[in-house]
Amino acid sequence: MARIIVVTSGKGGVGKTTTSAAIAMGLAKKGHKTAVIDFDVGLRNLDLIMGCERRVVYDFVNVINGEATLNQALIRDKNCNLLYILPASQTRDKDALSQEGVGKILDELKKDFKYIVCDSPAGIEKGAHLAMYFADDAFIVTNPEVSSVRDSDRMLGILSSKSRRAEQNEEPIREYLLLSRYAPDRVKLGEMLSVDDVQEILSLHLLGVIPESKSVLNASNSGMPVILDEKSDAGQAYADIVARYLGEERPHRFIDEKKGLFGMFFGGK
Amino acid sequence: MSIDAQKDTILEFKSSTFSVPVLVLVSNDMIAIEQQLKEKIHLAPEFFKNSPLVLDVQELNKNELDINVTKLIGTIRALGLLPIGIRKGSTEQNLQALKLGVPVHTSHHVTVVAPEQKQQPPQPAPAPVISESAVPAPTTMITHPVRSGQRIYAVGDLVILAQVSAGAEIMAEGNIHVYGSLRGRALAGVQGNTEARIFCSDLQAELISIAGNYKISEDLNGTVLHQPVQIYLQNHTLVIKDI
Ligand SMILES: Nc1ncnc2c1ncn2[C@@H]1O[C@H](COP(=O)(O)OP(=O)(O)O)[C@@H](O)[C@H]1O
Ligand SMILES: [Mg+2]
């Protein structure tokens, strides 16, 4: 059975698109045919992060309006032939998406794909609502700060009452926490919430911690999802997350401060 | 596999008991009724939205206060409530209700028995049976976290087996129990029950209130914060005691 994953948060700029690109690539690299959809109509930046912006001909809205077929609009990734991108439209506004239209497209994708990753826009308005409505799993991307955690909590409330699964009284959406842009040194200084703080407020299953990392910016500048940068900390964090989501047990990393060479020799524990 | 419409039964009548709010009227002043209903609905819009309702006009008829049932049902429907029955009405009132598709409930227990092998379902569908003993309101049990932005209203007691997030609001006409962190707003006895209490295993609330007497988080001192406590009213003052 295909599974629809929504990557959502409530708040903007927390790393949803970065995460969508990384986990979609990670799932495809593990051999699962995966589609990633940009729900951020009007902004469109998933295709930039995936490095396929010059190959966009048709988009999500064209397919909903029947101006193009799904096959015409899906872009095959240049690094992995099991990964496809459905880009957002740059020229329309959010009202171009309808629940019925989105439902139809997802139904069609489910016939052919194992995982469908929905990159949600910020906010709790229509675009975010449509991105989460049909989801089976939700990846809640949160930064370790109070306003981001609060917005995530709000989004969790919406998932548990306004989603298709909630409305039809089905088994609820499975919710996972992805704590992103985590900087242990700043946690230590009290400038950021710790993993435990966030866990206590949200009481949610932690799928992984993604460190604040320069590799994310480098990756997006070169149009390659950061998970392909296997040496980078953020890339490894996303690889762990994909593995855990697929059922592998991996210890959590990137929670404690980096020791550095000096620490490794003299720091002990 | 084919369904033989002549042989296979595809429907069934069952008897079951429902608990439904009963609107007991003591005045026939339509304007006041509408006004007070609006106020109640405003307290818990989600709870009352499309809520079924049985009208009880016993008090009115006892005091010979006549009421125009057609108008009354119209008013109630306009407020988004769904009257599904009238009880203790006069013959004329019952007829008015029936004309608007609102069934009449007689004072003794009514049981709808499944008719034998009926060819067509009756129109309209049989009315649900209203339990006469719906008086002690049921306990509402919530097993999942109540998140920021969510509101819960319970007619009786409210039991929550998870946390209540900051920015969430839980309300009950009876007691509130929270077996988890209480970080949001908790209002017990919202219809004026001063005997109502709040129990929680970890107090961090933004607001606590019993029958309209409230405290905000700033009023909570360090000795009760993060503690398992019960909260009750004593001489119009909220008392917070650890348990
Ligand atoms: N782990 C990270 N470390 C450093 N920068 C990050 C990280 N994750 C995201 N960013 C940066 O944060 C910004 C917002 O990320 P993006 O994925 O577009 O967020 P969203 O889709 O939630 O708005 C981008 O500039 C991105 O490069
Ligand atoms: Mg984005």
Side-chain angles (χ1 to χ4, degrees):
Chain A
M1 258 310 267
R3 279 195 90 77
I4 300 175
I5 303 171
V6 62
V7 179
T8 187
S9 69
K11 201 166 153 59
V14 296
K16 291 181 294 296
T17 300
T18 304
T19 299
S20 300
I23 60 156
M25 177 63 80
L27 289 166
K29 282 266 171 198
K30 289 257 185 189
H32 304 290
K33 195 169 179 191
T34 301
V36 56
I37 307 179
D38 191 348
F39 274 78
D40 211 343
V41 175
L43 281 176
R44 203 185 118 178
N45 56 40
L46 179 69
D47 50 330
L48 293 173
I49 305 236
M50 304 291 304
C52 65
E53 73 278 11
R54 274 186 246 106
R55 290 193 285 147
V56 174
V57 181
Y58 297 109
D59 59 53
F60 197 5
V61 174
N62 291 136
V63 182
I64 286 190
N65 292 346
E67 295 150 6
T69 65
L70 200 46
N71 280 332
Q72 286 174 311
L74 284 169
I75 302 172
R76 180 187 280 199
D77 186 79
K78 60 186 185 227
N79 294 300
C80 181
N81 60 12
L82 288 176
L83 178 59
Y84 289 78
I85 299 117
L86 184 56
S89 168
Q90 232 167 357
T91 50
R92 317 288 181 108
D93 60 39
K94 296 200 181 353
D95 294 331
L97 297 182
S98 67
Q99 183 158 304
E100 197 197 346
V102 171
K104 258 202 205 141
I105 291 190
L106 290 175
D107 278 344
E108 211 178 319
L109 287 170
K110 276 167 103 172
K111 292 184 202 143
D112 203 21
F113 289 87
K114 179 79 209 315
Y115 293 104
I116 301 156
V117 178
C118 302
D119 179 21
S120 174
I124 51 174
E125 303 304 323
K126 192 173 173 196
H129 179 88
L130 287 174
M132 69 87 197
Y133 185 76
F134 297 97
D136 302 303
D137 300 314
F139 286 13
I140 309 291
V141 182
T142 304
N143 291 165
E145 42 154 311
V146 172
S147 66
S148 171
V149 173
R150 175 70 77 94
D151 285 357
S152 293
D153 193 64
R154 186 96 200 241
M155 184 48 74
L156 286 162
I158 293 171
L159 292 175
S160 68
S161 52
K162 303 258 163 71
S163 61
R164 187 191 60 85
R165 281 178 175 267
E167 282 179 7
Q168 306 195 347
N169 250 324
E170 289 179 21
E171 187 196 318
I173 294 178
R174 289 189 205 149
E175 304 157 339
Y176 302 91
L177 174 63
L178 279 71
L179 191 53
S180 186
R181 311 201 67 167
Y182 197 74
D185 48 336
R186 296 191 58 200
V187 172
K188 206 171 173 193
L189 291 171
E191 295 172 359
M192 273 186 180
L193 298 174
S194 69
V195 179
D196 290 345
D197 294 338
V198 177
Q199 283 268 75
E200 153 135 29
I201 298 172
L202 292 179
S203 55
L204 210 56
H205 177 74
L206 178 69
L207 200 56
V209 173
I210 305 116
E212 172 77 24
S213 167
K214 276 208 279 296
S215 60
V216 172
L217 189 62
N218 294 341
S220 76
N221 284 339
S222 55
M224 301 253 284
V226 70
I227 198 168
L228 293 175
D229 183 355
E230 289 169 12
K231 293 210 182 66
S232 70
D233 47 1
Q236 291 175 16
Y238 279 119
D240 282 358
I241 283 168
V242 170
R244 285 189 201 108
Y245 174 70
L246 294 174
E248 232 176 273
E249 292 230 9
R250 291 197 183 182
H252 283 288
R253 299 196 268 168
F254 313 111
I255 292 178
D256 297 317
E257 268 180 291
K258 278 195 218 89
K259 286 277 167 359
L261 265 186
F262 185 81
M264 278 166 69
F265 285 125
F266 303 103
K269 208 197 130 53
Chain B
M1 203 175 82
S2 77
I3 292 180
D4 186 339
Q6 297 300 308
K7 271 211 295 224
D8 295 336
T9 318
I10 54 147
L11 51 77
E12 179 182 10
F13 286 96
K14 280 193 165 169
S15 160
S16 69
T17 309
F18 294 91
S19 166
V20 175
V22 177
L23 180 67
V24 181
L25 294 170
V26 295
S27 153
N28 62 354
D29 179 347
M30 286 299 289
I31 293 171
I33 291 173
E34 182 173 3
Q35 181 57 34
Q36 294 194 9
L37 269 176
K38 271 189 186 154
E39 284 167 16
K40 290 253 196 250
I41 292 169
H42 182 70
L43 277 176
E46 284 305 312
F47 173 74
F48 285 111
K49 200 165 126 196
N50 298 330
S51 168
L53 195 74
V54 171
L55 305 168
D56 185 317
V57 290
Q58 180 170 27
E59 286 298 308
L60 296 182
N61 289 333
K62 225 173 21 193
N63 299 317
E64 293 183 12
L65 295 167
D66 196 27
I67 190 158
N68 183 333
V69 170
T70 309
K71 245 197 187 155
L72 177 65
I73 291 173
T75 303
I76 291 173
R77 284 182 177 161
L79 290 170
L81 296 163
L82 302 173
I84 57 157
I86 182 168
R87 66 180 191 192
K88 309 282 169 62
S90 66
T91 315
E92 199 198 321
Q93 287 169 335
N94 289 348
L95 274 175
Q96 287 177 346
L98 275 174
K99 267 208 191 116
L100 293 175
V102 174
V104 174
H105 297 285
T106 40
S107 53
H108 55 273
H109 252 92
V110 188
T111 316
V112 179
V113 182
E116 288 280 322
Q117 292 288 313
K118 255 210 154 191
Q119 291 302 306
Q120 280 175 313
Q123 300 274 336
V129 181
I130 312 293
S131 150
E132 283 287 308
S133 53
V135 186
T139 296
T140 305
M141 181 101 74
I142 307 282
T143 54
H144 53 80
V146 186
R147 303 287 185 181
S148 176
Q150 290 188 308
R151 300 175 87 198
I152 291 184
Y153 188 98
V155 181
D157 286 0
L158 177 59
V159 177
I160 297 181
L161 301 172
Q163 65 171 9
V164 177
S165 294
E169 187 168 61
I170 53 175
M171 291 178 281
E173 292 179 17
N175 305 305
I176 291 179
H177 304 252
V178 181
Y179 298 98
S181 297
L182 170 56
R183 301 195 181 92
R185 300 154 62 97
L187 298 89
V190 285
Q191 297 294 344
N193 180 4
T194 53
E195 300 295 308
R197 294 185 180 212
I198 298 171
F199 305 85
C200 69
S201 51
D202 172 21
L203 178 66
Q204 304 179 35
E206 292 169 319
L207 177 139
I208 45 173
S209 163
I210 291 172
N213 301 272
Y214 67 89
K215 275 192 172 155
I216 57 173
S217 59
E218 285 178 9
D219 306 333
L220 306 176
N221 70 42
T223 58
V224 293
L225 278 177
H226 298 282
Q227 298 302 313
V229 296
Q230 63 160 319
I231 301 156
Y232 55 92
L233 265 187
Q234 206 168 52
N235 306 323
H236 306 288
T237 316
L238 282 186
V239 180
I240 307 177
K241 274 253 162 68
D242 51 349
I243 39 178

